Amino acid sequence: MFNATSLTLVKALVGATAYAQPAPSAAVEPIPVQAVAHIHRARVDIYCGHNTEAVAGIRAASEQLRTSSAVVPAETFAALEQAAWLTRHDQYLQAEEALETALARMTPASARA
């Protein structure tokens, strides 16, 4: 009834229908440029010792990301919250590292490569 060729064809068809095509990257909403600008400005404010302004910039970036339709990993918000806390407690190097982490989480791996 079935020969090897027919069985191979059936396996190929089953395998092909199981393949899920990835979603097009154009459909993904980009990260708001203003949020990234707030983070960069907060880095400068941290460097200059302007803690209040830095925390305000971090909060503005976080709010900008929350209100956008972009897909933002939860780790990004955690890193921003950590950066704000560290800035308020005068731990500048760790705050800058947390902002770097937030920026890295916001940038897709394909864009970093």
Side-chain angles (χ1 to χ4, degrees), residues 46 51-52 55 59 81-95:
I46 290 170
N51 291 10
T52 305
V55 171
R59 297 276 184 230
E81 187 61 36
Q82 180 183 24
W85 189 91
L86 290 165
T87 300
R88 286 193 312 272
H89 291 88
D90 299 325
Q91 296 181 17
Y92 306 116
L93 291 176
Q94 294 91 342

Side-chain angles (χ1 to χ4, degrees), residues 2-91:
F2 277 109
N3 60 25
T5 307
S6 298
L7 187 57
T8 304
L9 178 63
V10 170
K11 285 183 181 180
L13 289 173
V14 169
T17 58
Y19 175 75
Q21 186 147 352
S25 59
V28 176
E29 183 74 23
I31 298 294
V33 176
Q34 288 178 329
V36 176
H38 283 302
I39 292 171
H40 287 298
R41 179 64 191 172
R43 290 169 64 196
V44 172
D45 287 331
I46 290 170
Y47 180 79
C48 293
H50 303 147
N51 291 10
T52 305
E53 292 86 351
V55 171
I58 294 167
R59 297 276 184 230
S62 186
E63 183 62 26
Q64 188 85 37
L65 291 170
R66 276 193 184 87
T67 59
S68 77
S69 57
V71 176
V72 181
E75 294 86 4
T76 301
F77 293 109
L80 290 172
E81 187 61 36
Q82 180 183 24
W85 189 91
L86 290 165
T87 300
R88 286 193 312 272
H89 291 88
D90 299 325
Q91 296 181 17

